[in-house]
Amino acid sequence: MSRPLPRAAAALLLLFPLLAVACQPPLISAAAEDRPIPAASELTTAPLAIVTGKGAFSFVVEIARSEAEQAQGLKHRRPLAPDRGMIFPMRPARLASFWMKDTPSPLDIIFIAPGGTVARVAAMTKPYSLDPIDSGVPVEAVLEIAGGRAEQIGLQPGDRVNWRDPGGE
C-alpha cells in the first residue's frame, strides 16, 4: 500500500520540471537568429576624414556624446560599412579603455590624441571580448571603424583625424 506524499513534497515534484526548464539557457530558434539586430541609433552624425600616407579617406560617424551613448557604443549592431564609424569625444582629454562586450563584429579602435593625431590603433579587436583595450595616453576622442579598415587605408600612429562635432563644445 502506498501512502500519500506530504503536501510540500508533492508541490516540489510539480515545480521541479518547471525549475529545470527555467534554469536552461534559452533556445535560439532559426526565426530568432533571423531577427534584425537593432538599427543604428538616432545619434548625430558628422563627416570625418583620416589622412594617411595613402591619402585622405572620408567617413560618416555617429557621435556618442553622453555616458549612456558611450556605454552603448556599437553593441548588438550589424557590421559597419567601410565608410562608417562611431566617435567618442573625451572632454577633457583622458585615458580611455574600451572592450568588445556584446559587440558582434571586429572593430579597429583608433585613439586620437589632443590635436587630432592618431596615438594608437587597436586593429581587429575580438568580438565579445571582455579584455580591456587601453589608449595608453590621454586622448580627446576614440574612433571605431570596421575591423581591418585601418590596415586597408594604411593608418599609423601620427596620422591625422579631422572632424568637427556640430553639437559639441
Side-chain angles (χ1 to χ4, degrees):
M1 177 161 129
S2 64
R3 67 179 199 194
L5 289 172
R7 222 177 233 195
L12 283 175
L13 284 175
L14 290 173
L15 287 176
F16 181 73
L18 294 173
L19 289 171
V21 170
C23 292
Q24 294 297 315
L27 296 175
I28 299 175
S29 67
E33 289 176 350
D34 292 339
R35 273 190 233 135
I37 294 171
S41 65
E42 298 299 320
L43 297 178
T44 302
T45 60
L48 177 144
I50 299 176
V51 182
T52 74
K54 289 185 172 183
F57 299 87
S58 297
F59 292 81
V60 174
V61 295
E62 294 175 70
I63 305 169
R65 287 188 197 97
S66 73
E67 269 187 53
E69 291 167 348
Q70 291 188 0
Q72 178 61 37
L74 291 170
K75 291 178 182 176
H76 308 289
R77 297 275 294 272
R78 294 184 184 279
L80 289 170
D83 64 343
R84 298 289 177 171
M86 182 175 280
I87 195 159
F88 303 77
M90 305 278 165
R91 294 185 187 101
R94 62 184 179 269
L95 293 172
S97 184
F98 281 58
W99 65 0
M100 293 292 291
K101 181 178 190 256
D102 298 324
T103 306
S105 54
L107 298 172
D108 291 341
I109 300 178
I110 301 152
F111 296 97
I112 305 167
T117 59
V118 174
R120 176 171 184 251
V121 178
M124 292 297 292
T125 57
K126 183 180 176 185
Y128 301 108
S129 174
L130 299 179
D131 295 337
I133 304 161
D134 298 319
S135 62
V137 298
V139 294
E140 71 177 13
V142 178
L143 173 63
E144 294 179 339
I145 59 176
R149 190 72 174 120
E151 182 179 7
Q152 290 173 348
I153 66 174
L155 185 63
Q156 300 290 322
D159 288 343
R160 295 218 31 92
V161 177
N162 299 315
W163 77 289
R164 189 182 71 75
D165 184 348
E169 300 166 1

